[in-house]
Amino acid sequence: MWRFLIVGLLISVAWAIKLEKCRRGALPLDIRSTTCNDTICEVSKSVPVGFELDLKAPNDTIFVFPSVLLLYKLPEGNRGEIGVEIDMSRGCDYLISHSCPLTKGDIITWAFDWDFLPDELFPVEGDDVRFRAEIILYDKNVDIMTCFRINLVTTK
């Protein structure tokens, strides 16, 4: 009984987030965040953004690992990309509903936060910086388990 009340409370305080599908890979079944609204996530050095993803494991796997790519437009109209370094060996540490290894068909919840973004992404002066983040979760064979894009803005 208490478990359902706690889960209901978490869901009620989390915002629904509008996701954009990647070119390949399925969207998560659900995503929750208490620091994003339905169109954008604000990120600052003092307030990292956190997510919880629900997804269905497409294959058996002994571990999972994330990849984050920040996409942006340069003033002259060209596109730029910044890959974000993540400790891939700790991907299973962020599973909150299961532990590794995973079995095909498992509905898992994976959580992470944005406290790993490099300092150079945050403005020193002037306007906020807008990015589109592409977040991918891979299995042991480097097959995509889930992929989504979300808009974010880094602020002072």
Side-chain angles (χ1 to χ4, degrees), residues 72-80:
Y72 61 95
K73 286 188 181 177
L74 297 167
E76 57 275 356
N78 296 330
R79 294 181 181 204

Side-chain angles (χ1 to χ4, degrees), residues 64-138:
V64 297
F65 66 93
S67 169
V68 175
L69 184 64
L70 299 174
L71 310 164
Y72 61 95
K73 286 188 181 177
L74 297 167
E76 57 275 356
N78 296 330
R79 294 181 181 204
E81 297 179 353
I82 300 172
V84 178
E85 298 265 336
I86 300 174
D87 184 359
M88 296 188 306
S89 66
R90 298 190 57 220
C92 290
D93 294 348
Y94 299 100
L95 291 169
I96 57 176
S97 65
H98 288 71
S99 59
C100 290
L102 299 171
T103 303
K104 179 180 179 175
D106 283 346
I107 305 294
I108 62 171
T109 301
W110 190 75
F112 70 100
D113 59 40
W114 288 97
D115 63 354
F116 54 78
L117 290 174
D119 287 340
E120 54 270 15
L121 296 180
F122 296 97
V124 177
E125 295 179 15
D127 297 333
D128 298 339
V129 181
R130 293 183 178 273
F131 293 95
R132 178 173 292 145
E134 181 176 273
I135 299 152
I136 305 172
L137 192 61
Y138 292 98

Side-chain angles (χ1 to χ4, degrees), residues 14-111:
W15 291 90
I17 302 170
K18 182 181 176 186
L19 302 177
E20 182 181 327
K21 190 170 175 20
C22 298
R23 290 185 191 143
R24 54 199 170 130
L27 285 171
L29 301 172
D30 192 20
I31 183 169
R32 294 168 300 283
S33 174
T34 57
T35 53
C36 300
N37 63 33
D38 61 345
T39 58
I40 200 160
C41 295
E42 289 189 11
V43 182
S44 73
K45 288 182 182 181
S46 61
V47 182
V49 174
F51 293 107
E52 284 186 4
L53 309 173
D54 295 334
L55 61 132
K56 186 175 185 177
N59 302 304
D60 294 347
T61 187
I62 56 173
F63 63 87
V64 297
F65 66 93
S67 169
V68 175
L69 184 64
L70 299 174
L71 310 164
Y72 61 95
K73 286 188 181 177
L74 297 167
E76 57 275 356
N78 296 330
R79 294 181 181 204
E81 297 179 353
I82 300 172
V84 178
E85 298 265 336
I86 300 174
D87 184 359
M88 296 188 306
S89 66
R90 298 190 57 220
C92 290
D93 294 348
Y94 299 100
L95 291 169
I96 57 176
S97 65
H98 288 71
S99 59
C100 290
L102 299 171
T103 303
K104 179 180 179 175
D106 283 346
I107 305 294
I108 62 171
T109 301
W110 190 75

